[in-house]
Amino acid sequence: MRPSKKTDILEAALRVIEKEGITAVSFNSVAAEAGMTKAGVLYHFPSREAMLKALHRYDTLQWKERLEKTAGGKAEELSLAKRLESYIRVNSDSATYTDLVLLLETITDEQAANIWVEVLDDWTPPQPPAELNETELNQIIAQLAADGLWQYEATTRYTLSERAKEQIIERLTRMAAS
């Protein structure tokens, strides 16, 4: 099935971010990358802000689909341990520069942050209480370590061997389940 023009535009915008950073996202740059006219982009996105919000939604939808595929079901059908295991596995191999750039934008954009939080709320432990029991502590540590692994892969030029990564994933998934 052929992707919609809107999807083509969002994919082009992600490529612009990958090549030049988020500040380079403009109607002209995205239109050129998508092989469209500026008017064609404007038809789907009336403002740069609308395009960026759509990018956040699109990126988080892709992430959610990877989480569901890895877990073998939707978040509401799974235990927290199974959701967290999927979160750990997906975070271990999906770090991209564009994801990082979009996520960093959420620091100053509450609407964008809420888009990401919707997915996080479904796949990670709830906000922890003031004092954690052993299970809650293990789950939070596993989530934080998975986030750290994702950041490591996205921000450094170093990569872990597949064996080392699998050992880390196995340890974290055991923690999440205990």
Side-chain angles (χ1 to χ4, degrees):
M1 173 185 277
R2 175 152 164 49
S4 72
K5 287 292 182 191
K6 201 172 206 176
T7 301
D8 290 345
I9 293 166
L10 293 172
E11 288 289 335
L14 290 173
R15 289 191 303 273
V16 169
I17 293 171
E18 187 71 33
K19 292 176 192 174
E20 304 174 52
I22 200 161
T23 58
V25 172
S26 68
F27 291 115
N28 289 330
S29 66
V30 173
E33 183 68 33
M36 300 175 66
T37 64
K38 180 179 175 181
V41 176
L42 279 164
Y43 174 80
H44 293 284
F45 300 102
S47 68
R48 181 178 186 272
E49 170 101 350
M51 186 174 10
L52 290 174
K53 292 295 180 279
L55 273 173
H56 284 282
R57 287 231 176 268
Y58 181 73
D59 207 36
T60 56
L61 179 62
Q62 302 300 312
W63 184 35
K64 182 179 175 183
E65 288 173 357
R66 288 190 307 267
L67 289 164
E68 289 174 348
K69 182 179 179 184
T70 301
K74 298 190 179 303
E76 61 271 10
E77 302 167 348
L78 305 167
S79 68
L80 175 57
K82 187 70 176 165
R83 293 189 319 262
L84 195 49
E85 177 182 349
S86 178
Y87 182 85
I88 291 163
R89 290 190 180 283
V90 168
N91 276 11
S92 73
D93 69 357
S94 66
T96 69
Y97 172 75
T98 53
D99 292 336
L100 180 63
V101 168
L102 287 171
L103 199 54
L104 286 173
E105 189 180 61
T106 67
I107 294 169
T108 58
D109 185 337
E110 189 173 339
Q111 282 184 324
N114 289 337
I115 294 168
W116 289 83
V117 166
E118 288 174 21
V119 177
L120 282 169
D121 282 351
D122 287 344
W123 291 89
T124 61
Q127 179 68 30
E131 187 161 332
L132 302 168
N133 65 36
E134 194 65 25
T135 299
E136 292 165 331
L137 181 62
N138 283 337
Q139 290 171 339
I140 293 295
I141 290 171
Q143 177 192 347
L144 293 172
D147 291 342
L149 179 57
W150 181 88
Q151 181 185 7
Y152 177 84
E153 295 267 318
T155 61
T156 69
R157 63 178 177 249
Y158 308 111
T159 56
L160 297 168
S161 71
E162 286 305 311
R163 178 64 187 131
K165 195 184 291 189
E166 190 55 39
Q167 286 177 292
I168 292 167
I169 291 167
E170 291 305 316
R171 172 73 59 92
L172 293 177
T173 56
R174 280 196 312 272
M175 285 180 72
S178 62

